[in-house]
Amino acid sequence: MSRPESGFVPLDPRRFSEAEMKERARAFYEEASRRRSVRDFSDKPVPRDLIETLIHTAGTAPSGAHKQPWTFCAVSDPAIKRAIREAAEKEEYDNYHGRMSPAWLEDLRPLATDWHKPFLETAPWLIVVFKRIWEPSPEGPAHKNYYVAESVGIASGLLIQAIHHAGLVTLTHTPSPMNFLQHILGRPDNERPFLLLPVGFPAEGALVPDLTRKPVGEILVWHEKDAASQPF
Ligand code: IYR
């Protein structure tokens, strides 16, 4: 493959034996499969530098044209958390009292969610993920970013996995609409809120819904030449 002579450096890949690869993949699956969305948080503090490392990891995500179109706000200020809770509960009250369809409410029933969002104050940190639609340019017109939802979605997935890996819990909270976050956090016009992640330790005795995940055979479709598809 031809590449320009400048602007490239050698890749430094890690190499494992096939057995090591399979073991690493299996262990990572085991770890990932333990992750649960948690709504009952402890107020036990989480060190600031730990949060910083988690966000550093999120920032390793690939992004369209490497524009890195994300900003992460880490909120521990109780006054700001309260303002976010009040605004989220106001929107969610309206969602649960008419804005969500009967089918949607029925689908949420096993999760036992409602408009009360105490975790927005209990959790020691709220990480608010913003997508950057465009980049301001001091001279000339603003530059539009590319594949912003894909890029920020991948960064958020990495962040969620990093949180889990560190032994903390989170919830992909989606108050809707959530433009209030832009105002409360004073974010500029090129940013839009994407996800709200309360982060902390689970409350003592926290419960989670008794869910199962789809078996891999249900989510995986093979397309191979000459190979009979192998049911798991
Ligand atoms: N955003 C609402 C409703 C809600 C939607 C989904 I999709 C969930 O998985 C859970 C809740 C709320 O946060 O309550």
Side-chain angles (χ1 to χ4, degrees), residues 55-108:
I55 291 171
H56 206 179
T57 301
T60 66
S63 61
H66 193 52
K67 293 291 184 183
Q68 306 173 80
W70 41 65
T71 301
F72 302 89
C73 290
V75 181
S76 65
D77 180 332
I80 303 177
K81 289 198 295 181
R82 169 162 314 168
I84 289 175
R85 176 184 178 178
E86 281 170 3
E89 287 187 334
K90 194 162 165 289
E91 295 296 354
E92 289 299 306
Y93 183 92
D94 292 345
N95 289 339
Y96 282 87
H97 293 86
R99 284 206 297 230
M100 295 193 300
S101 66
W104 190 350
L105 290 170
E106 191 54 33
D107 278 341
L108 287 180

Side-chain angles (χ1 to χ4, degrees), residues 37 39 88 92 95-96 100 104-105 107-108 111-117 119 171-176:
S37 292
R39 291 179 172 79
E92 289 299 306
N95 289 339
Y96 282 87
M100 295 193 300
W104 190 350
L105 290 170
D107 278 341
L108 287 180
L111 305 182
T113 57
D114 63 22
W115 62 273
H116 295 97
K117 306 297 173 191
F119 52 77
L171 168 71
T172 44
H173 184 38
T174 52
S176 173

Side-chain angles (χ1 to χ4, degrees), residues 159-190:
L159 177 57
I160 291 165
Q161 197 59 25
I163 291 165
H164 172 61
H165 187 69
L168 297 169
V169 295
T170 187
L171 168 71
T172 44
H173 184 38
T174 52
S176 173
M178 56 178 168
N179 43 353
F180 64 84
L181 291 166
Q182 186 153 5
H183 303 125
I184 292 174
L185 298 171
R187 299 311 305 164
D189 196 39
N190 60 325

Side-chain angles (χ1 to χ4, degrees), residues 102-229:
W104 190 350
L105 290 170
E106 191 54 33
D107 278 341
L108 287 180
R109 218 141 63 99
L111 305 182
T113 57
D114 63 22
W115 62 273
H116 295 97
K117 306 297 173 191
F119 52 77
L120 293 175
E121 283 190 90
T122 320
W125 292 96
L126 304 179
I127 300 180
V128 187
V129 184
F130 285 86
K131 56 181 181 181
R132 299 171 65 93
I133 318 278
W134 46 272
E135 297 299 330
S137 158
E139 67 287 333
H143 300 288
K144 203 177 153 303
N145 284 328
Y146 314 100
Y147 299 104
V148 170
E150 291 84 346
S151 305
V152 183
I154 296 166
S156 299
L158 275 171
L159 177 57
I160 291 165
Q161 197 59 25
I163 291 165
H164 172 61
H165 187 69
L168 297 169
V169 295
T170 187
L171 168 71
T172 44
H173 184 38
T174 52
S176 173
M178 56 178 168
N179 43 353
F180 64 84
L181 291 166
Q182 186 153 5
H183 303 125
I184 292 174
L185 298 171
R187 299 311 305 164
D189 196 39
N190 60 325
E191 295 187 1
R192 298 283 180 282
F194 184 76
L195 264 189
L196 172 45
L197 299 169
V199 180
F201 292 93
E204 208 56 55
L207 297 177
V208 292
D210 185 13
L211 304 179
T212 55
R213 293 188 165 113
K214 290 181 180 177
V216 69
E218 218 177 289
I219 62 171
L220 167 58
V221 181
W222 299 101
H223 293 262
E224 294 174 290
K225 189 161 183 286
D226 296 335
S229 105

